[in-house]
């Protein structure tokens, strides 16, 4: 009995061992990507600061009634590191709390987009005939449809809130991932081991889960890191247009407030530069990490 159990467990143990070695190899290769490491360290710092926001800057510091004595539109100084806004609130406090919402929307919308894109892409590449053709037409429709306009429509129709923005971004940004996954699926489908599984009687579920999904996951991972930056930009855009949750702090909401008080033309440059620069740096960091991951998982780029 023990021998039989060992023989059953050993393939699983070997599979996990291979995955562990592959992950260790990936980490070693990623550590040699200087740009990717810079982006990763910067993102880790931002995430830690966002998680520690309630400790570093209590929510009471966002209460307008608690900062009556603070000067409005105070420029950056030792007393006010990033300046104050039109209500006397410290800008660095709003940026810390805004990072929580912006990163949450970025990660959640990207997860939704990746899941939808992976499922539809796998199905479109694996199933042939009318089913695959119909899924491909759906992908093409969402690719040619302006995603920002559709996100604005969804955010306007649904009740305002953080999760409304997540749904709006997730439902409009999955088509690109689906196209990439479908192309990779078609390539894997033509390999010998998939043909052998099909000849031996393997069903659609076995082929998709055991062969196709592991083959497309590296590309999905690389695309995920790139999509997070786009999701953060989309969230900032929707908040800037006034479609976000007005009760929550976000970097787009800070930009919207600066526009409402004409900060750019009134000389309150810090009110515009600080949130704008934060968005640019975080998106750039995600792009650096994504390009590094793509270089590692894509043999063509790695050979170059």
């Amino acid at each position: 009995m023990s021998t039989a159990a060992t023989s059953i467990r050993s393939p699983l143990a070997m599979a996990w061992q291979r995955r562990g070695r592959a992950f260790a190899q990936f980490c070693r290769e990623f550590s040699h990507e200087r740009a990717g490491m810079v982006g990763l360290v910067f993102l880790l710092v931002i995430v830690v600061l966002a998680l520690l926001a309630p400790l570093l800057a209590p929510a009471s510091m966002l209460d307008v009634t608690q900062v009556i004595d603070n000067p409005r539109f105070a420029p950056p100084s030792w007393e006010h590191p990033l300046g104050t806004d039109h209500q006397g609130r410290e800008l660095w406090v709003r940026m810390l709390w805004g990072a929580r919402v912006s990163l949450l929307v970025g990660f959640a919308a990207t997860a939704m987009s990746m899941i939808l894109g992976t499922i539809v892409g796998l199905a479109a590449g694996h199933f042939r005939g009318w089913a695959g053709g119909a899924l491909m037409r759906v992908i093409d429709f969402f690719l040619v449809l302006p995603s920002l306009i559709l996100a604005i429509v969804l955010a306007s129709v649904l009740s305002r809130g953080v999760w409304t923005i997540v749904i709006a971004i997730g439902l409009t940004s999955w088509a690109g991932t689906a196209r990439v996954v479908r192309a990779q699926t078609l390539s894997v489908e033509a390999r010998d081991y998939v043909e052998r599984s099909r000849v031996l009687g393997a069903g659609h579920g076995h082929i998709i889960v055991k062969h196709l999904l592991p083959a497309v996951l590296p590309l999905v991972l690389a695309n995920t890191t790139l999509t997070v930056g786009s999701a953060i930009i989309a969230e900032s855009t929707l908040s800037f247009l006034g479609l976000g949750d007005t009760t929550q702090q976000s970097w787009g909401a800070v930009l919207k407030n600066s526009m409402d008080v004409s900060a750019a033309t009134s000389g309150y440059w810090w009110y515009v530069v600080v949130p704008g620069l934060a968005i640019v740096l975080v998106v750039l960091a995600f792009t650096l990490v994504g390009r590094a991951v793509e270089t590692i998982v894509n043999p063509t780029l790695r050979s170059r």
Side-chain angles (χ1 to χ4, degrees):
M1 183 68 180
S2 60
T3 305
T6 303
S7 62
I8 293 175
R9 287 196 302 266
S10 59
L12 296 176
M14 293 173 61
W16 281 107
Q17 189 176 10
R18 287 196 301 269
R19 290 168 185 162
R21 288 198 299 265
F23 180 73
Q25 178 65 21
F26 171 82
C27 292
R28 285 194 297 270
E29 293 183 5
F30 187 88
S31 63
H32 294 301
E33 298 286 339
R34 294 184 178 179
M37 288 299 297
V38 171
L40 180 61
V41 170
F42 180 79
L43 289 177
L44 289 177
V45 171
I46 296 298
V47 170
V48 170
L49 289 176
L51 293 176
L52 296 179
L55 299 177
L56 299 175
S60 59
M61 298 182 69
L62 295 172
D63 188 355
V64 178
T65 61
Q66 302 294 324
V67 293
I68 298 178
D69 296 333
N70 270 13
R72 298 190 305 164
F73 298 117
S77 61
W78 287 108
E79 186 178 359
H80 309 288
L82 295 180
T84 61
D85 64 2
H86 62 292
Q87 293 179 327
R89 292 173 294 183
E90 294 288 346
L91 208 53
W92 69 269
V93 176
R94 297 192 65 187
M95 294 302 298
L96 276 183
W97 284 90
R100 296 168 67 91
V101 174
S102 295
L103 291 177
L104 172 62
V105 172
F107 286 121
T110 300
M112 182 178 179
S113 173
M114 292 300 104
I115 293 173
L116 284 175
T118 301
I119 293 175
V120 177
L122 283 172
H126 176 69
F127 295 103
R128 307 302 170 90
W130 67 268
L135 288 173
M136 197 60 218
R137 299 292 77 79
V138 174
I139 295 174
D140 290 338
F141 172 77
F142 277 92
L143 280 175
V144 301
L145 192 68
S147 58
L148 181 59
I149 295 179
L150 181 57
I152 291 175
V153 172
L154 290 175
S156 302
V157 173
L158 301 175
S159 59
R160 293 189 180 183
V162 173
W163 293 108
T164 297
I165 296 181
V166 170
I167 294 173
I169 297 174
L171 289 179
T172 57
S173 59
W174 60 268
T177 301
R179 189 89 181 201
V180 173
V181 171
R182 177 183 178 272
Q184 181 68 6
T185 301
L186 292 175
S187 175
V188 176
E189 283 273 355
R191 296 177 183 175
D192 293 337
Y193 63 87
V194 176
E195 291 294 335
R196 283 196 298 268
S197 296
R198 187 177 289 110
V199 171
L200 292 174
H204 295 298
H206 177 85
I207 293 176
I208 291 175
V209 174
K210 295 295 184 180
H211 300 304
L212 300 182
L213 184 59
V216 303
L217 278 181
L219 287 180
V220 173
L221 175 62
N223 198 38
T224 297
T225 54
L226 295 173
T227 307
V228 174
S230 301
I232 291 176
I233 292 178
E235 184 276 330
S236 301
T237 303
L238 293 176
S239 297
F240 181 76
L241 295 175
L243 299 175
D245 188 354
T246 56
T247 63
Q248 297 286 341
Q249 298 292 330
S250 73
W251 293 343
V254 177
L255 279 175
K256 174 69 166 55
N257 295 152
S258 68
M259 181 194 69
D260 292 339
V261 297
S262 303
T265 57
S266 301
Y268 312 131
W269 55 267
W270 59 91
Y271 206 171
V272 180
V273 171
V274 171
L277 188 60
I279 295 172
V280 170
L281 290 179
V282 169
V283 172
L284 177 60
F286 274 111
T287 302
L288 293 177
V289 173
R291 292 304 180 190
V293 173
E294 188 178 21
T295 302
I296 295 172
V297 302
N298 192 332
T300 304
L301 295 177
R302 184 166 47 188
S303 62
R304 294 178 182 176

